[in-house]
């Protein structure tokens, strides 16, 4: 049984930066895609950034383009999310997700992903 563990959340002032990391372990094969989602109170979980493991292509929600960067360190089986110029509306619980089988859902669709981490809180406030 695979496992995803997030780290790096916390509180930061508007305009600040945070880096989230997701460590993947326990699977006998590499996921086809990994992503970061977030869920704010009273809102649905939304895709923030994703990486196609098969070709390295990355995808971002419009709200974070130019501010967030997703990257993968295959040697450490980790996926990171560098977040800069953070805004109060970025406040949410951030979840790491992995797709273990090929499917045709969009990389920013929650339906693509079969495995999820427990989440890490990010709070942006002055």
């Amino acid at each position: 049984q695979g496992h995803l563990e997030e780290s790096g959340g916390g509180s930061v002032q508007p305009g600040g930066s945070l880096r989230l990391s997701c460590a993947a372990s326990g699977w006998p094969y590499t996921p086809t895609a990994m992503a970061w989602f977030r869920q704010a109170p009273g809102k649905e979980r939304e895709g923030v950034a994703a990486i196609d493991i098969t070709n390295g292509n990355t995808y971002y929600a419009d709200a974070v383009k130019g501010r967030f960067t997703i990257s993968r360190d295959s040697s450490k089986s980790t996926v990171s999310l560098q977040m800069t110029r953070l805004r109060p509306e970025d406040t949410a619980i951030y979840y790491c997700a992995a797709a273990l089988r090929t499917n045709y859902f969009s990389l920013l669709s929650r339906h693509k992903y079969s495995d999820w981490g427990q989440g890490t809180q990010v709070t942006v406030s002055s």
Side-chain angles (χ1 to χ4, degrees):
Q1 183 71 23
H3 179 70
L4 296 170
E5 185 165 353
E6 303 99 335
S7 61
S11 296
V12 65
Q13 293 186 339
S17 300
L18 280 175
R19 185 177 181 87
L20 306 182
S21 291
C22 174
S25 62
W27 292 301
Y29 46 86
T30 302
T32 60
M34 294 188 70
W36 287 94
F37 284 72
R38 68 185 180 187
Q39 188 166 18
K43 295 188 177 181
E44 291 191 357
R45 192 171 298 190
E46 62 174 353
V48 174
I51 183 165
D52 187 326
I53 301 298
T54 65
N55 58 24
N57 288 345
T58 56
Y59 303 83
Y60 298 93
D62 288 344
V64 307
K65 280 181 182 176
R67 301 189 298 122
F68 291 11
T69 304
I70 188 171
S71 60
R72 176 176 176 250
D73 183 340
S74 59
S75 65
K76 297 180 181 179
S77 299
T78 60
V79 172
S80 298
L81 185 68
Q82 179 68 46
M83 305 185 293
T84 64
R85 291 184 282 149
L86 283 160
R87 305 168 180 168
E89 54 263 39
D90 295 318
T91 295
I93 298 174
Y94 283 69
Y95 298 90
C96 178
L100 300 184
R101 294 182 177 84
T102 299
N103 60 61
Y104 296 100
F105 288 106
S106 160
L107 268 80
L108 291 179
S109 167
R110 61 183 298 180
H111 300 293
K112 185 170 186 69
Y113 300 93
S114 54
D115 287 63
W116 296 82
Q118 292 299 306
T120 185
Q121 176 70 46
V122 170
T123 302
V124 185
S125 173
S126 55

